[in-house]
Amino acid sequence: MRGLVFTLVYYLLSVVYVLASLPFLILPGHTPVRTIIRSYTRAMNLNLRFVAGIRKEVRGQSNLPDGPFILAAKHQSWGDGFLVYPEVKNLAFVTGDHLEKFPLVGGILRKLGAIVIDTCGGGDRKAASLAEGMERAREEGRRVLIYPEGHLAPVGHHFRYKAGVWHMARAMNVPVIPVATNVGLFWKQQERTKTPGTAVIEFLPALDPALPKAEFLELLTEVVETRTADLVAEVTGEPVKPAILIPDPPKGTEASPTPDDLAAFSKP
């Protein structure tokens, strides 16, 4: 019942805030839409707290530098974006163009300064859309949220971290802030079921994008997955378990590995 009520409120809030944004989509400037959407994420945090019973604890704010930077975040749930967005001012984010299929969302994404990746135009167009988005973010001094795994990962597992975050950081000449979380224990991937508890978002010390690509990605994976495993163990009371690397799911699907899959993936 808790999850059903949360979902109803979720869609109600989404409709209300999208409609509130409409008059500003055709007007110049972006401040009104960004203010409305920031308010929307705060309202969704209240929905999580008072309907779903999921409190939020934010750690490591002192690791956020002044000026632009990139947040490279663990992605366990649809909820982690709602938890992160209100905590960082002037935040843009990277997303696929699948969101543009929803009515009016494309216009809102443009006003928000989102970096929308063209996933249908082939490798050249995908790279070009990323470069265009980075250029806008650099000109505006934005902070950028990206999920390096590219997929929602089940708790206790991770995908290969992709090199896009390294290329972005090098091109924009900004530090990368790793972000760990355990929100997947309370709102698993896209599931409607919600489990009450305290979800932690933790900003970790910055990484230098001047590192060679392979070294950077290895370090990013290590710090995010290690700290995420610690946060999960805080809640479960079980020993810390290293995350299991699993292959990316087919395009358009969600990773749901079976016990047999996990046994195979965890073999040396």
Side-chain angles (χ1 to χ4, degrees), residues 98 101 150-151 190 249-255:
H98 62 284
K101 69 182 180 182
H151 304 280
Q190 302 180 55
K251 185 176 180 180
T253 64
E254 184 176 279

Side-chain angles (χ1 to χ4, degrees), residues 179-250:
V179 186
T181 186
N182 60 10
V183 66
L185 292 171
F186 311 102
W187 180 352
K188 181 181 177 181
Q189 294 177 295
Q190 302 180 55
E191 290 187 3
R192 290 188 176 181
T193 301
K194 306 294 183 293
T195 302
T198 300
V200 176
I201 296 289
E202 184 166 353
F203 302 111
L204 305 174
L207 302 184
D208 185 356
L211 291 171
K213 179 171 66 174
E215 183 179 345
F216 174 88
L217 291 175
E218 182 179 359
L219 181 59
L220 176 63
T221 303
E222 179 183 354
V223 298
V224 172
E225 294 302 327
T226 298
R227 188 56 188 151
T228 292
D230 291 340
L231 297 177
V232 169
E234 282 185 18
V235 175
T236 64
E238 299 176 356
V240 176
K241 300 176 182 178
I244 298 172
L245 174 65
I246 57 176
D248 287 3

Side-chain angles (χ1 to χ4, degrees), residues 25-211:
L25 296 183
I26 60 175
L27 298 175
H30 51 65
T31 300
V33 172
R34 292 181 184 178
T35 300
I36 289 169
I37 297 305
R38 191 173 181 85
S39 176
Y40 167 61
T41 60
R42 287 173 173 157
M44 202 62 72
N45 276 237
L46 293 176
N47 187 21
L48 281 165
R49 169 66 181 89
F50 293 107
V51 178
I54 301 174
R55 296 178 176 86
K56 176 171 73 170
E57 179 182 344
V58 182
R59 303 177 185 174
Q61 293 98 322
S62 61
N63 289 319
L64 298 177
D66 296 329
F69 53 81
I70 293 174
L71 293 176
K74 182 66 181 174
H75 198 20
Q76 293 178 335
S77 165
W78 269 13
D80 46 31
F82 288 114
L83 297 181
V84 169
Y85 196 89
E87 303 302 323
V88 181
K89 294 181 179 179
N90 199 24
L91 183 64
F93 54 90
V94 178
T95 183
D97 55 6
H98 62 284
L99 290 179
E100 292 188 320
K101 69 182 180 182
F102 297 104
L104 309 175
V105 171
I108 292 174
L109 290 176
R110 286 189 289 274
K111 288 290 187 179
L112 289 177
I115 300 175
V116 181
I117 306 300
D118 185 344
T119 58
C120 300
D124 290 343
R125 183 54 203 154
K126 185 175 181 179
S129 61
L130 178 60
E132 292 162 6
M134 286 192 300
E135 181 61 29
R136 287 194 303 273
R138 180 168 47 213
E139 290 175 354
E140 297 178 5
R142 306 294 300 280
R143 289 85 178 265
V144 180
L145 170 64
I146 186 171
Y147 296 110
E149 294 171 276
H151 304 280
L152 287 167
V155 172
H157 307 88
H158 75 94
F159 300 105
R160 179 181 61 84
Y161 281 51
K162 314 303 188 293
V165 61
W166 180 81
H167 288 292
M168 288 182 65
R170 291 286 287 249
M172 297 176 68
N173 192 29
V174 296
V176 175
I177 309 298
V179 186
T181 186
N182 60 10
V183 66
L185 292 171
F186 311 102
W187 180 352
K188 181 181 177 181
Q189 294 177 295
Q190 302 180 55
E191 290 187 3
R192 290 188 176 181
T193 301
K194 306 294 183 293
T195 302
T198 300
V200 176
I201 296 289
E202 184 166 353
F203 302 111
L204 305 174
L207 302 184
D208 185 356
L211 291 171

